[in-house]
Amino acid sequence: MIRHDVIVLGAGLAGMRAAIEAKRAGVDVAVISKLHPTRSHSGAAEGGINAALGNATEDSPESHAFDTVKGSDYLGDQDAIEVMCREAPDDIYELEHMGAIFTRASDGKLAQRPFGAAGAPRTVYSADITGHVLIHVLYEQLIKYDIKVYEEFFATRVVVDEGRCAGVIAWDTQKGGLHAIEANHVILATGGVGRMYYGTTNAFACTGDGMSLAWNAGVPLKDMEFMQFHPTTLKSNGVLITEGCRGEGGYLRNKDGERFMVHDAPNAMELASRDVVSRAEWREIADGRGVDGCVLLDLTHLGWKKLKSRLPGSRELAIDYAGVDPIEQPIPVRPGAHYQMGGVDCDIWGETMVPGLWAAGEVACVSVHGANRLGGNSLMETIVFGRRAGQATAERVLEQGDTGARIEPAALADEDRRIAGILNTSEGERPGVLREELAKTMYDKAGVYRTGEALLECQEKVYELRERAQKLRLDDHGPVFNTDLTMALELHSLLECADCLVTSAVARKESRGAHSRLDFTTRDDDHWLKHTLNWNDGGEVRLDYRPVTITKHQPLARSY
Amino acid sequence: MATIENAHFTTLKGAYDTETMEATLKVRRFDPETAKSRFDTFTVTIPVTATVLDALDAIKDTCDGTLSYRKSCRMSVCGSCGMRVDGGAALACKVSMRKFVEAGHTITVSPMGNLPVIKDLVVDMDPFWSKIRAIKPYLDTKGADTPAKEWRIAPVDTALIHKESLCILCGCCVSECNSMESDPEFLGPAALAKAYRFVGDARDQDTRERLRDLNGAHGIWDCTRCYFCNQRCPKGVDPRDAIAKLGAESFKEGFTGDEGAKHAKVFVDSTYKGGYLRETELVPKTIGPVNALKDIPFALQLARAGKVPNPLTPHKAKDNDEVKRLWKLLEKEAKGQPRRATATHPDAVQEG
C-alpha cells in the first residue's frame, strides 16, 4: 500500500501550488495527475492574472473585490472574494520571486493591462501566454522541492472511510493496473468540465473528473448552471483568443462593420463583462448580422508592432486555426464554453463537507466567481486558494496526525471489478460518439441563451445518454496506455456534471450572469439570490439551496 | 439592454456547418504485448480545417479504437502530441491536413525519435524529463535579500530569455537531435535551452556554477550544430541559438578547457589571423599535439583523398587587413552581447 500525508489530484496551477505549500510546511505530499504537470490546461491561459498592485494606475484590493462582486452578478460569496483580492498581490510577488517571466513596464515593475469589467488596469501578464509561463514556473518549483508525482495516473475513486477521506484509487495509464494510494487528506485540483460542450476553449482533458469524484464521495456540487461562455473563440476548434486582444484595444464588429457593443455596454464597449459580450454576439449572429456563424474581432488598427509584441500567441493561433493573419484581417469568433463557475462546494480554505477532502481551482466553487467570472480572476484563484488548501491540509496533518481512515482491500477489489467491467465490454457504442452527441446537445440547448423548453429537452437527452453510456464498446482491452479506457471514464464524469448543470438550470427561473433565460429575462433577488447545491441521491441529482454571503455590497442593477 | 429579436433562439443555426474532405494516413503501430511494429493505413472523413491530431481522433472514433497517442490542449501549448509527420517531429495539433489532401499525398505518422516507444505513437518521456531535472531547472537567487515586491528588471533584459521562455517541453527537438542519436546521454537541445533560460535570467545568481556544469561531459560542446532542433521546434525557441549563447557566456567565465571550446577558439583565432581556417592547426589545438599524432593515419587517408590543404603554404587571405577591420567592427557591434541582464532590488530604486 502506498501512503502519503496529503495527495493532490491534478497538477495544474492550483494543484502544484497546493503541493508546494504543503511540502514547504513539512508534510509528505504527492501529486497524482492523468497528464504530465506541464500538459495541464492552466498552461493554455493567455491574458493574465489579476491583482491590485497599482503599478499602472491607482488600485486597491477593495476595488478589485467590488468589480468581482458586481461581475458575479452578486452571487459570489463576498468573504471569499475579499480573501482572494486581499491576498492576490503577495501571491503575485511570490510567483515573480519563483522566477515567473512577466511582461515589464518601462520602470522595470510588472506591467498591468486592462481587462473586462475591471476598474483599473489590474491584469499582470506575460504577453499572451501567461498560463504557460506560470505552469512552467510552478513545475520548476515542483522539481526544486522534489515532490513526488504519479504521472499519467487516472484517479477513479475517492475512498471515504467512516465519513473521512481515506485516499484515492487510481489507474496507472502507462503500465495498467489499479493502485490504492492512501492519504488522510486529498486536495482535488482537476480543473474544469468544458468538454461537455461542442464549442469550447477547454482541452480534451477538461472532463470534470474531480467534480464527479467529489459528487460520488458525497460532496455536493454548487452553482453548476453557471458555465461561462467566452466571447472570442474560433469556430473550427473552439480555441481561445484572449480577452487581452480587446484589452489592447481590439474591436468587435458585425458583418456591417458596426461595433455592436454600443447597444449593450455604451461605456465599457468591448470590455464589458464576458456574459454581456457573449449575449450581444449571440444576438448579432442569431439576427443575421454575423459572418459564417461568427462576429469579427478586429485588431487590424492595432498595428503589427503591437500584435507581435503583446499578442504573438493569438496571431499564431488565428493563422493556424482560422487561416487569417490578424495584422491584415479580422478574426471570426463566437462564444464558446470556457469556464465552470460552479464546482465542488468548499469553504475559503478549500475544505468540503467530507473531512479530509478539499478542492481548489476551477474544480472548486468557493465561490469567488458567482454567476460570472471576470477575466484574469481564474489564474489568481488557482494560486490563492491552491496555496491556502496546501497550507490548511499541512496544518491539519501536523495537528491531528493519522485520522485512522483506511482503504480496505474490499474497496480496491470493488473498484477493480468496476474498471474491469468497463475495460472488457465489446458491445455498445463508442465513447467518442456519445461525447459528441452530449456536446452538441449542451451547446444547442444549454448555451448562452436558455429556455425552459430547451433545457428540459436537454435534460431528457442527458438522461438518455447516461443510460446508453452504461454499455460502451471499447476496442482496446489491453493494460498499456489504453486511451479507450480513459475516454470511457471521462465520459462518465462529463455526463454526471452535465446532469447537475442542466438540472440546476431547469430549476433556476431567472437570468443571472451566465445563466440567461429567455423565458425569465430578469434577475430575481427575492427568490434566487442563493447558491444551488447538487447532491448525489443514488446516482440522481437532488437540488438544495444555500444563502449567499454578503458583507459590504448589497445587490445593485448591473450595467457596464 | 438591447433585447434579442428572435426570442426563440437558443441554438445557433449552422453552428456545426463545415466542409469535409477525405484523408488517408499511414500510421506506425507498436504493440507492447507482442513487441511488434507495423504500418496501418486509414481513410477518414474530416473537416477541411482538420489537423493531423483531428485525423487521428477520427481514426480512433470510427476505425480503430486501439490506436494510442497523447493529446490535450489541441492549441500547440501543452506539448503532448509531439510525433513525426513524414519523418520530421511536429505537434500533431499544429499541422493542417488540408495541404496534404489537396496534393493527394498520404502522410506517414510515426512516434518521435531518440525516445523508447511505449505503444503506437506514445513514447517514454522519462529520459527527457531526467535531463530537464539535470540542469537544475529553477531560479536560484542564492539567498539574495528577497524584496517585499517584485524585482525591477528592464524590459530589454527580460527580452534576453524571451525565446527560451516559449519552450513547451514537447520533445520535438530531442526527437531530431543528431548528437543524442550517437550519445544518448547528451543533455540535448530542450534541457540546454531551459538552462539558458536561467543563465540569462536577471534574477539568477548561479550563473558560474551552471556554466561550469554545462561545460562538463555530455554538455554544450557535444552539440554538432546540425540545426535540426531550430528547424523542428514548433514554438520558435531555437535551441541551437541558446546553446551558442551558453558557449559565449562560458567563454566570458573562462570555461575554455573543453575540446569543443578549444575547437571553437581555433576557428576564432585562425580566421582573425589569416582570414581563413588553418585546418592543420585545428586538430592539434583542439585535442592536443600528442593526441593529434594518433590521428596521423587518418590525416594521410584524407590527404590521399585530396581533402587536406598543403600545410606548408601560408594559407592567408589576400587582404587580411580587411578581415581584421571586419572583426573589429563585429566586436564593436557585439560589445557586451549577449549582455548580462540585471535585476534591481526595489528598495534600491529612487522613485522619480
Side-chain angles (χ1 to χ4, degrees), chain A residues 200-218:
Chain A
T200 178
T201 61
N202 285 198
F204 286 109
C206 301
T207 51
D209 307 323
M211 295 176 190
S212 159
L213 288 171
W215 194 63
N216 285 303

Side-chain angles (χ1 to χ4, degrees), chain A residues 39 55 96-97 99-100 104 110 132 140 152 200 204 237 316 320-321 334 430 444 475-476 481 483 518, chain B residues 7 11 15-16 60 65 68 70 72 74 78 93-94 119 137 147 149-151 165 167 194 197 203:
Chain A
R39 313 304 186 211
N55 283 1
E96 198 273 336
H97 299 155
R104 303 278 168 163
L110 302 179
H132 161 80
E140 290 158 18
E152 301 190 314
T200 178
F204 286 109
N237 60 359
E316 180 186 334
D320 282 351
Y321 304 118
R334 65 178 184 182
R430 294 283 299 150
D444 287 346
D475 288 351
D476 196 343
F481 226 96
T483 50
L518 293 170
Chain B
T11 304
Y16 312 113
K60 179 136 185 108
S68 289
R70 287 192 180 98
S72 189
R74 58 78 177 90
C78 82
C93 73
K94 199 176 160 69
K119 183 184 178 192
K149 292 187 173 183
E150 71 268 49
W151 289 103
S165 77
C167 177
K194 185 86 177 166
R197 175 252 168 278
R203 297 159 290 190

Side-chain angles (χ1 to χ4, degrees), chain A residues 103-120:
Chain A
T103 299
R104 303 278 168 163
S106 56
D107 60 2
K109 290 185 186 174
L110 302 179
Q112 296 193 277
R113 65 165 44 132
F115 242 46

Side-chain angles (χ1 to χ4, degrees), chain A residues 35-36 38-41 43-44 46 53 55 90 93 95-110 127 129 132-133 136-137 139-141 143-144 151-152 174 195 198-206 235-240 263-264 276 279 282-283 285-289 292-293 312 316-317 320-321 334-335 430-433 436 439-441 443-445 447-451 454 473 475-484 487 518 558, chain B residues 1-18 32-33 47 49-51 53-54 57 59-81 91-96 112 118-120 122-126 128-129 132-134 136-141 146-156 158-159 161-162 164-171 194 197-198 201 203 234-235 343 346 349 351:
Chain A
L35 302 170
H36 178 273
T38 62
R39 313 304 186 211
S40 306
H41 197 55
E46 297 172 7
L53 307 181
N55 283 1
D90 280 344
Y93 296 136
L95 289 170
E96 198 273 336
H97 299 155
M98 286 175 176
I101 304 169
F102 289 120
T103 299
R104 303 278 168 163
S106 56
D107 60 2
K109 290 185 186 174
L110 302 179
I129 52 164
H132 161 80
V133 160
H136 284 269
V137 82
Y139 180 59
E140 290 158 18
Q141 298 295 305
I143 294 175
K144 177 177 173 182
E151 230 171 78
E152 301 190 314
Q174 283 191 20
R195 279 283 148 182
Y198 183 88
T200 178
T201 61
N202 285 198
F204 286 109
C206 301
K235 182 179 177 182
S236 67
N237 60 359
V239 159
L240 171 71
H263 305 297
D264 306 83
V276 176
R279 279 194 294 271
W282 200 273
R283 177 199 65 227
I285 300 166
D287 286 349
R289 290 186 296 277
D292 186 31
E316 180 186 334
L317 293 170
D320 282 351
Y321 304 118
R334 65 178 184 182
R430 294 283 299 150
V433 173
E436 177 144 335
K440 286 184 171 169
T441 304
Y443 195 67
D444 287 346
K445 298 181 193 296
V448 170
Y449 278 108
R450 300 162 177 187
T451 64
R473 190 191 96 218
D475 288 351
D476 196 343
H477 307 295
V480 178
F481 226 96
N482 187 333
T483 50
D484 247 14
M487 284 174 76
L518 293 170
R558 188 165 155 255
Chain B
M1 187 196 288
T3 53
I4 194 158
E5 286 164 32
N6 299 324
H8 57 282
F9 212 101
T10 64
T11 304
L12 277 188
K13 209 171 131 197
Y16 312 113
D17 287 356
T18 177
E33 280 165 57
T49 53
T51 60
L53 181 62
D54 295 326
D57 278 346
I59 293 171
K60 179 136 185 108
D61 283 347
T62 61
C63 306
D64 185 349
T66 65
L67 180 66
S68 289
Y69 47 94
R70 287 192 180 98
K71 64 168 181 179
S72 189
C73 76
R74 58 78 177 90
M75 53 190 281
S76 22
V77 72
C78 82
S80 298
C81 66
L91 294 176
C93 73
K94 199 176 160 69
V95 181
S96 166
M112 289 198 292
I118 294 177
K119 183 184 178 192
D120 298 338
V122 179
V123 294
D124 180 2
M125 293 288 284
D126 278 355
F128 177 89
W129 299 119
I132 298 293
R133 280 194 294 272
K136 194 180 148 187
Y138 47 85
L139 196 74
D140 187 352
T141 55
T146 304
K149 292 187 173 183
E150 71 268 49
W151 289 103
R152 300 289 184 87
I153 309 175
V156 61
T158 56
I161 51 171
H162 169 70
E164 292 75 16
S165 77
L166 299 174
C167 177
I168 58 172
L169 302 177
C170 62
K194 185 86 177 166
R197 175 252 168 278
F198 294 104
D201 191 306
R203 297 159 290 190
K235 300 302 287 186
V349 177
E351 297 288 353

